[in-house]
Amino acid sequence: MIFTLDSTPWYQDDSQQPRNMDQSLNSVQRGSQRFKRTEQSNSPAIMESIDASLLCNSRLMNEPYSDPHKSSVGLRPDVTITSEFTSLKLGPEEDTNGGSFLLIDGKELLKVSSVEQFLGRLSCEGSTRVKVVSVFGNTGDGKSHTLNHTFFGGVEVFRTSSEQNSCTLGAWAAFDPNLRVICLDTEGLLGNTAHENQRTRLLLKILAVSDLVIYRTRSERLHQDMFRFLGSASRAYTQHFQSALQNVGQRSQFGGPLSALGPAVIIFHETRHTRTLQTSLNESAEDFLRSRFAQSKLEIEAFSSLRYVGIHTTQPPTDFSELRAAVQAELENTAVRSPRQPQVVYHTLKVLNDKFSGEIANTAPVLFPDQYFTCPVTCMSCEQRCDRSMGHLKEGLAHCSAARCRYQHQFENRLYVCKACHTNGKEVVVQPRVVSSLDTSWVGLAKYAWSGYVIECPYCGEIYRSRQFWYGNKNPEDIAVRTEITHVWPGNNPSMVGSQNAAQKVLDGVSYVTEAVVNVGSPPTRIISSWVADQIAPKYWRPNHEIKNCHKCEKVFGLLDSKHHCRACGEGFCEDCSNRTMPVPDRGWLSPVRVCEGCYTREVYFDAPAAPAERCAAPPAAQDEVDDTEVRARKYSEAVVSTLSTVASVLEYPRGLIKETARPTYWVPDSECIKCCCCEGAFGPRLPLHHCRECGRGVCQTCSTSRRPVPLRGWDAPVRICDQCAKKD
């Protein structure tokens, strides 16, 4: 029969517990069981004699700093006897180590399944009120060693190692019954791991449940990674963990208001060749740390206090007495956070671990990001950086970015691409223009002032006309072009100009042309009015230039006489011969509209012969198919014109009504322009409203005398700008 022994450290009995943290390691008596080995000449088996009294004891060792009244819940018997052989199992399970146990592993899995198991592993009563102390720092800086000497008199409760591989993965826990503190040892930062983001999240959850955080750093100077970690942890606590902690249990279990739930922080800095931070009359070490956080634009508002403990160690070992005093002072301070039951600690940690869990993409940090070498210019619309190298403009290369841009009305960063050319494999960019390439005179400008803009393709020719755009034509995107969103780079003259901007250019052209005509004393109101009516008239209407007299009474029309069309027959009549109204469904007029006297007297169209005197015979086009688009365009125009005064000039139509439809999107609507943006004078008959072409705000004539091109808005020629925009340059 073979006896096997798994040894583990054990400590003095309960009567010899240290009464304070300064008790030296000599007070800890270590015992060991000596075994006598005998050999038999006729058997190779080695018999190990064991004191029989050990087999009668259910625990072969005392837990470090044990309490005679502590609970033994969750502890398994150490002696296992089988029929085949006898095995003595002395020591912890796989996830225990010298009195500490694995609380959360490196994959963020909670290794303690219940409160009872948590209390049993800690060897702590449920009624005991405790505080939580955790240690953080870079790997290899002695975090576990610091906890052992600060709370356990140098006993290796938390495992330390002289190997290159880290011996602390995840979070380990142990209980100090003298100070009633749950100590949490964490995995070191900057360690080699394939799950760096997951490790960082685990550390933040440990920090959130802690009452006191010790950041251990052993470096000649304080490194930026410490400031970055604590600043990011403070921001994460404020934005995420604070609201989660509010929902955990009763607030009375935590003590203090919710805004003071952040842990206290002690920075334990050990140097060998350099001086530590010193406190002067003008600035303390803590003030210097706060200024460093502020310079790095990092916040530490989540922490209830910040304290610095510096140790200059010329010869080992490290003196932990100053750290012990600082820790004891923070633990005795209950003004911010009071002790709580260990059940609350476990429940809080479990809730946070369940809430903040899941897979995290582990992206390797880039030591030299592209922004070190690429162009710093960003798109004004989507704020994406230019992909080209620095200085590419000197090489004749324009800004570009492979990222997709987003559309913004103020930049109108939308390109038109000819749809027919795109189908044939060509990317041909087209633009709305005021005048077609075939119309270059001011007469053509006046014509397109009323008809809208035109889109021409260098390969396909004219692909779109907006002659009836204001009255129901289809959008160019539906029939002629496809749109692409492009980037807007500072200082570039945008090649894309929205259709509404082109329409405003047309209206400006109308204003200039008509003003020139008015100046020579020849008002063209009736001529232009007749021409506009012909452009939007249905096909069955007789053109205005062919109507010389009334179709019924044969009255000759003078220059100031109005011509009216019958909606049924399409002929021209005077006011007296066309004052009847009725629906004409065959022509698409479902509501009552103007008809002549002859058509009104006939009950059914074309069923009864017309009287010769009425001279209103049914036109041959009456049987043609009704063009709903033409009728609809005329309806829209009548709805607009009917709201105007009968004495209003036709030149006022685009300036008063069509302007709102054609204005650029960045212009402030006329209805919202109450006063001048410069002098704050109220707009009215004596103070006309104008728009600044750069900022789009309403401005008066006096405050907008400057003229200059605004290429960013698509105005290549000098246009009106307000005095405030003029002063910017």
Side-chain angles (χ1 to χ4, degrees), residues 50 90 97 178 188 196 226 298 409 415 437 440 456 469 474 520 590 627 690 719:
I50 301 177
L90 304 180
N97 178 44
N178 295 306
E196 182 176 357
M226 180 196 73
L298 299 171
H409 289 288
L415 285 176
S437 58
T440 56
E456 289 184 324
F469 181 75
K474 292 184 178 180
V520 298
L590 303 180
D627 191 340
H690 302 278
V719 289

Side-chain angles (χ1 to χ4, degrees), residues 61-80:
M61 71 173 185
N62 291 329
E63 295 292 332
Y65 300 96
S66 60
D67 190 339
H69 302 291
K70 68 184 179 181
S71 172
S72 60
V73 180
L75 299 178
R76 301 190 303 180
D78 293 330
V79 180
T80 304

Side-chain angles (χ1 to χ4, degrees), residues 208-509:
V209 300
S210 302
D211 299 287
L212 176 62
V213 170
I214 302 174
Y215 192 96
R216 174 71 158 102
T217 176
R218 187 161 50 190
S219 59
E220 298 304 320
R221 293 176 178 85
L222 295 175
H223 293 165
Q224 182 65 20
D225 53 9
M226 180 196 73
F227 295 97
R228 188 179 297 112
F229 173 79
L230 292 177
S232 301
S234 173
R235 181 174 56 85
Y237 184 92
T238 303
Q239 295 182 358
H240 304 288
F241 290 100
Q242 195 173 48
S243 59
L245 290 172
Q246 187 177 7
N247 300 326
V248 180
Q250 299 292 331
R251 284 180 54 183
S252 60
Q253 298 288 352
F254 295 90
L258 184 61
S259 59
L261 286 180
V265 175
I266 295 179
I267 297 178
F268 181 47
H269 183 204
E270 181 180 7
T271 65
R272 185 169 184 178
H273 302 289
T274 59
R275 296 173 55 190
T276 60
L277 298 181
Q278 304 296 321
T279 299
S280 63
L281 295 177
N282 299 326
E283 185 182 43
S284 65
E286 289 76 13
D287 293 335
F288 175 80
L289 292 175
R290 292 187 181 93
S291 63
R292 285 285 301 272
F293 279 108
Q295 291 175 4
S296 302
K297 297 181 180 180
L298 299 171
E299 60 178 33
I300 54 173
E301 286 77 7
F303 303 135
S304 58
S305 65
L306 178 66
R307 187 166 182 174
Y308 175 82
V309 176
I311 300 296
H312 181 63
T313 304
T314 56
Q315 293 293 334
T318 304
D319 183 12
F320 292 93
S321 59
E322 189 174 349
L323 176 62
R324 291 193 195 101
V327 169
Q328 189 130 11
E330 291 292 342
L331 294 177
E332 293 175 355
N333 180 16
T334 59
V336 177
R337 302 189 68 167
S338 300
R340 41 193 164 147
Q341 295 177 343
Q343 297 94 317
V344 177
V345 177
Y346 174 80
H347 182 60
T348 304
L349 182 60
K350 186 176 186 304
V351 170
L352 294 181
N353 195 59
D354 293 341
K355 178 179 178 63
F356 303 104
S357 60
E359 295 294 331
I360 304 179
N362 291 291
T363 57
V366 180
L367 185 58
F368 301 108
D370 293 339
Q371 62 183 4
Y372 288 0
F373 314 103
T374 57
C375 178
V377 177
T378 58
C379 172
M380 294 187 295
S381 180
C382 65
E383 299 180 355
Q384 292 288 338
R385 288 174 61 97
C386 176
D387 293 338
R388 297 191 185 276
S389 299
M390 292 182 176
H392 63 89
L393 294 178
K394 297 180 180 179
E395 302 174 1
L397 300 176
H399 297 291
C400 72
S401 175
R404 297 186 62 180
C405 191
R406 64 172 180 265
Y407 177 75
Q408 290 198 33
H409 289 288
Q410 58 177 331
F411 301 119
E412 294 181 345
N413 53 329
R414 178 176 57 187
L415 285 176
Y416 280 163
V417 178
C418 177
K419 186 174 292 186
C421 293
H422 178 75
T423 306
N424 296 329
K426 299 179 182 179
E427 291 289 330
V428 181
V429 178
V430 295
Q431 300 181 28
R433 296 184 179 275
V434 176
V435 180
S436 173
S437 58
L438 302 178
D439 297 323
T440 56
S441 64
W442 71 269
V443 177
L445 180 61
K447 175 181 176 182
Y448 282 94
W450 291 100
S451 302
Y453 59 90
V454 62
I455 300 178
E456 289 184 324
C457 173
Y459 298 99
C460 306
E462 184 179 294
I463 60 176
Y464 179 78
R465 281 184 178 270
S466 62
R467 293 191 181 276
Q468 299 175 8
F469 181 75
W470 293 328
Y471 305 103
N473 269 15
K474 292 184 178 180
N475 293 326
E477 296 89 342
D478 299 333
I479 56 176
V481 298
R482 59 188 303 269
T483 59
E484 292 183 0
I485 309 303
T486 185
H487 294 282
V488 182
W489 304 106
N492 283 9
N493 185 8
S495 60
M496 57 287 176
V497 179
S499 60
Q500 295 191 358
N501 196 10
Q504 183 60 38
K505 289 182 179 180
V506 172
L507 294 184
D508 291 344

Side-chain angles (χ1 to χ4, degrees), residues 575-587:
E575 175 69 25
D576 297 334
C577 298
S578 60
N579 55 7
R580 300 283 190 174
T581 59
M582 71 176 184
V584 188
D586 291 345
R587 296 294 193 181

